[in-house]
Amino acid sequence: MTLIDVLSPDERAESTSPWWVGAVAYQVYLRSFRDGDGDGIGDLKGLLRGLEDIAALGCDAIWLNPCYPSPQRDHGYDIADYFDVDPDYGTLADFDAVVREAHRLGIRVLMDMVANHCSIEHEWFRAAVRAAPGSPERARFHFADGRGAEGELPPNNWQSVFGGPAWTRVTDAAGRPGQWYLHSFDSGQPDFNWESADVSLHFRRVLEFWFDRGVDGFRIDVGHGHVKAPGLPDWPGAETGTGGHNHAMWDQPGVHDIYRTWRSLGDSYPEKKYFIGEIWVPSIERLAAYLRPDEMHQAFSFDLLVQPWDASRLRTAIDAGLAAAGSAPAWTLSNHDVHRTVTRYGQEQILEPTDPTDMIAAARRIGRADLDKGTRRAAAAAALLLALPGTVYLYQGEELGLPEVFDLPREARQDPIWIRSEGAELGRDGCRVPIPWAATEKNFGFGESDSSWLPQPEWFGRYARDRAAAQPNSMLRIYEQLISLRRRFFAGDAPIVWLDTERPDVLAFQRAGATCVVNTGAQPFAVLAHWQTGAPVIATAATEAETVIPRDSAAWFAPRGG
Ligand code: GLC
């Protein structure tokens, strides 16, 4: 891969847009980022040490996956206490130090708000299990009597996202089987009942607690969850997986009231706090509803993430993202829930339309990957993303071109998806393996312990950050350059103007006088003369002629001195 021309980064132009328009946010999966205290688990001290690297990459914000006290059944998405930091990760003082240092470096800090469910170890849930059916303690969750003569069957036919029924039965004080509680995910994650005033008040206090510590915003976990259809009715076909999107369980109208309340709280701070939703819904209209001016600022355009490497599919997904969000969508190609990009793009591409809400079919497929091909495509996809209007979210390790780790030992796997499916699905551990920082150090520089919470494969050293930094054409260098050039040429929310060619495998557009051309095909593409707005400023693959874009690569053209 070659950088044809490296321009020095400009200061970001003065603008009246909110900070997130044009920004790049780096997703920190804390457990795997960097281990500062040598226990094999990433932590806040490790993050503090790594912040300079995130700043050097050119990122404007970090999004921290949940770091609250948790029994870690779903690695922090099962929260036992919303007002503290898990001891594995450090203390509130460590957290404050991260916020201070991030702000000093010009990086905003976003946390994860998990409000659909908590952990079975949360004091409210423990109290609810001890309390009687019909008690105020149980009313904070969804407890219900079972069906069948002895109440031995779940109250309805809903299924957990992680496999199996969405209900688990508790035993009463005398040890007899009692009511069931609803959990949309693992049985360790009881769903809150958002009809309960205690619950909404609690989350208001949680938001205030972290906002007052300087947190700039939240990513809202399962934003389409939270509220269930009144009476928790069966959903036809839910138990066989043939019922499509279970609208009784997801995307209920009541969720919107929650975000209106949160938004007005966030807006009451002088600097206006920010919200981005994780929303999996089957249509543009439904997604757009979350983005009304008094709700969330953004929601991830997952439609793009789940597409195969195919120009027309990518273009349709970009248009869908813009249609839902307006001028500044939030784009991402990967996160802690899906397989790594270089692996996905290196696998056989399945072109049948996929259900945009079905992550497993689209983004968690098992299968051999051609990593050279996948790496070329991932670099080109980064160039595509970073030319788009809006915000780009970058999952840690993507900038190193890390592949999915398929060869984790069975006994090392921990994801509840793996456990609940009894190994039928690999789950998400393979994209969560601790990051390699230094090729020749212990644990590849992740930390000082003898091993890490998920073992790193031997081949991880090849992708280490220090190695990538020393190679002129590495994925890391490409990302650095793309991010710095984005500030200069693609930062605002100027609209996309698509450029058409005879080649269906070429995707090209102009924005604010600069051009992005992506060749998803196997043949080189000679860029049309009238597309060349100025000079080529970056190309993700080596090319003999600067205006010829090799297979599976991308280039940007921009006015010199622009
Ligand atoms: C979201 C998170 C995922 C988690 C789930 C349950 O989808 O991204 O990691 O397992 O919610 O909280």
Side-chain angles (χ1 to χ4, degrees), residues 181-233:
Y181 67 92
L182 176 70
H183 51 87
S184 302
F185 294 86
D186 187 67
S187 56
Q189 296 166 299
D191 281 31
F192 282 113
N193 175 10
W194 270 88
E195 300 295 318
S196 150
D198 284 359
V199 171
S200 42
L201 189 62
H202 170 259
F203 279 100
R204 191 182 171 87
R205 288 183 47 231
V206 174
L207 288 171
E208 284 171 345
F209 179 84
W210 296 102
F211 284 156
D212 292 346
R213 296 195 101 84
V215 167
D216 299 287
F218 278 90
R219 174 256 191 196
I220 301 170
D221 188 59
V222 211
H224 54 304
H226 298 134
V227 176
K228 279 70 186 173
L232 312 180

Side-chain angles (χ1 to χ4, degrees), residues 386-537:
L386 287 159
L388 293 175
T391 312
V392 172
Y393 277 78
L394 168 63
Y395 176 48
Q396 69 182 32
E398 288 292 291
E399 79 282 17
L400 303 176
L402 281 180
E404 185 74 10
V405 183
F406 282 134
D407 52 354
L408 278 172
R410 292 178 67 86
E411 63 284 3
R413 290 195 174 270
Q414 309 189 10
D415 188 350
I417 295 182
W418 160 265
I419 295 166
R420 286 181 71 86
S421 74
E422 293 173 350
E425 271 187 59
L426 286 185
R428 304 163 295 180
D429 291 318
C431 67
R432 300 175 173 180
V433 176
I435 296 295
W437 289 79
T440 56
E441 286 178 22
K442 196 173 180 185
N443 290 326
F444 303 116
F446 170 68
E448 294 293 317
S449 60
D450 289 333
S451 58
S452 51
W453 74 278
L454 281 174
Q456 297 164 303
E458 259 169 53
W459 48 265
F460 243 34
R462 238 183 285 154
Y463 296 89
R465 189 174 302 265
D466 64 346
R467 247 177 102 158
Q471 287 164 358
N473 306 320
S474 62
M475 190 71 96
L476 181 63
R477 301 302 298 279
I478 290 181
Y479 262 103
E480 279 169 7
Q481 293 303 319
L482 286 171
I483 293 173
S484 122
L485 292 169
R486 169 180 176 78
R487 278 179 197 280
R488 187 159 178 175
F489 299 114
F490 289 121
D493 58 358
I496 283 184
V497 179
W498 291 108
L499 302 170
D500 290 309
T501 91
E502 307 275 280
R503 285 268 303 263
D505 51 4
V506 168
L507 191 67
F509 58 84
Q510 282 173 351
R511 282 186 60 221
T515 307
C516 169
V517 185
V518 184
N519 178 5
T520 68
Q523 300 305 319
F525 175 73
V527 177
L528 310 184
H530 66 280
W531 286 9
Q532 294 168 33
T533 46
V537 289

